[in-house]
Amino acid sequence: MPLSGPSGTRDSPGEPDLGDLIVRVARGLRQRGAQVVAPWDLAPHQARALRTVARHDGIRPGELAGHLRVAPRSVTDVLDALEDRGLVRRHPDPGDRRAMVLTLTASGRRLVAEVDAARRADAEALFGRLTARDRATLRRILLVLDAEEG
């Protein structure tokens, strides 16, 4: 008899449930992501921080921590490393001189563009196995699940 609780997570006793499958796929994505950013001597969390600053130019460090879902103190070391490499700058917030905002340098913008191109190519290699319709369905489902977590 198939095991299928209210969440319908398992079709038959020998199949992994949805949670296990998502964890396995997420682990593979993390490994792929680390490999993709390695040529630029970036850790995945540094690449995520750069991409977030690129999307939210002028973001405060605390807001960056919120987007990354980490404690604000965890962002400090990441920002220090990125600033030391000349990829990010901290500036006084024009609206509140006590606060700092983050911007990418020209080198940071170039690096984000290169990393994004590599990530898109890797994503196409992985998700290209799915039909366009399946990719759209997967995106829709993941957005629903992500909204419930946020």
Side-chain angles (χ1 to χ4, degrees), residues 4-150:
S4 184
S7 62
T9 59
R10 191 177 288 193
D11 291 330
S12 68
E15 292 183 6
D17 67 28
L18 288 174
D20 290 340
L21 286 170
I22 289 172
V23 167
R24 284 180 11 200
V25 170
R27 187 176 299 126
L29 284 170
R30 279 193 308 275
Q31 291 169 347
R32 290 176 77 106
Q35 292 169 352
V36 166
V37 299
W40 291 276
D41 194 28
L42 282 175
H45 62 280
Q46 292 172 325
R48 285 182 55 226
L50 279 173
R51 291 178 58 242
T52 303
V53 172
R55 279 193 309 273
H56 304 281
D57 191 50
I59 191 171
R60 290 182 177 184
E63 294 169 325
L64 175 62
H67 282 282
L68 299 177
R69 297 180 180 178
V70 298
R73 67 183 173 277
S74 301
V75 170
T76 302
D77 291 338
V78 174
L79 291 175
D80 288 345
L82 296 174
E83 193 171 34
D84 288 347
R85 289 185 58 183
L87 302 171
V88 171
R89 279 197 206 116
R90 293 177 177 128
H91 303 280
D93 185 335
D96 180 356
R97 306 282 292 160
R98 297 167 298 173
M100 301 299 280
V101 294
L102 307 167
T103 59
L104 292 181
T105 64
S107 296
R109 284 190 298 277
R110 280 191 302 274
L111 183 73
V112 167
E114 291 172 12
V115 168
D116 280 352
R119 289 181 73 250
R120 280 191 302 276
D122 183 64
E124 184 55 38
L126 176 64
F127 295 111
R129 297 183 285 177
L130 301 175
T131 66
R133 184 177 180 170
D134 284 348
R135 285 192 304 263
T137 299
L138 178 59
R139 177 183 305 280
R140 181 185 53 76
I141 291 167
L142 292 174
L143 285 170
V144 168
L145 294 175
D146 187 53
E148 291 178 7
E149 291 299 312

